[in-house]
Amino acid sequence: EIKKEISELREAIKLAKRKGIDITKAEKMFNQIIFNYNFLKNDGSKGVHNHEYVISILEKIDNDIAEIKNITK
C-alpha cells in the first residue's frame, strides 16, 4: 500500500510543481518518506526488535503523506 501511495505522491508533486505551487516542503517530506520506507523495508529484524520504533516511523510516514496531499491539492 505504501508503494502505491509513494507513486501517487510522486505524480501529485510533479503536477503541483507544473501548476506553480511551492512544493519545497512537500519534496523534503517526500524524500524523508522514501528514506523511512527503505529503512523499514531493509531492516533485517522486520520490526521485531523494536516494534514501537517501527510503529512511530509508520505513523510519521502516514502523517507526511497526508500533509503532502494537502500541500499538493
Side-chain angles (χ1 to χ4, degrees), residues 25-41:
K25 183 177 180 181
E27 287 178 317
K28 288 179 184 178
M29 294 172 76
F30 180 78
N31 290 334
Q32 190 64 48
I33 289 170
I34 298 297
F35 176 85
N36 286 333
Y37 171 74
N38 287 328
F39 174 79
L40 294 178
K41 186 174 97 175

Side-chain angles (χ1 to χ4, degrees), residues 13-72:
I13 289 171
K14 286 179 187 177
L15 181 60
K17 189 173 188 174
R18 280 188 240 131
K19 290 180 178 179
I21 297 171
D22 181 7
I23 54 160
T24 305
K25 183 177 180 181
E27 287 178 317
K28 288 179 184 178
M29 294 172 76
F30 180 78
N31 290 334
Q32 190 64 48
I33 289 170
I34 298 297
F35 176 85
N36 286 333
Y37 171 74
N38 287 328
F39 174 79
L40 294 178
K41 186 174 97 175
N42 297 318
D43 176 34
S45 76
K46 308 225 186 291
V48 172
H49 297 296
N50 195 346
H51 64 277
E52 292 170 4
Y53 182 58
V54 170
I55 290 170
S56 72
I57 291 173
L58 289 171
E59 288 172 347
K60 173 76 170 129
I61 289 172
D62 283 343
N63 291 337
D64 287 351
I65 287 171
E67 189 164 349
I68 290 171
K69 286 180 178 180
N70 191 43
I71 292 170
T72 59

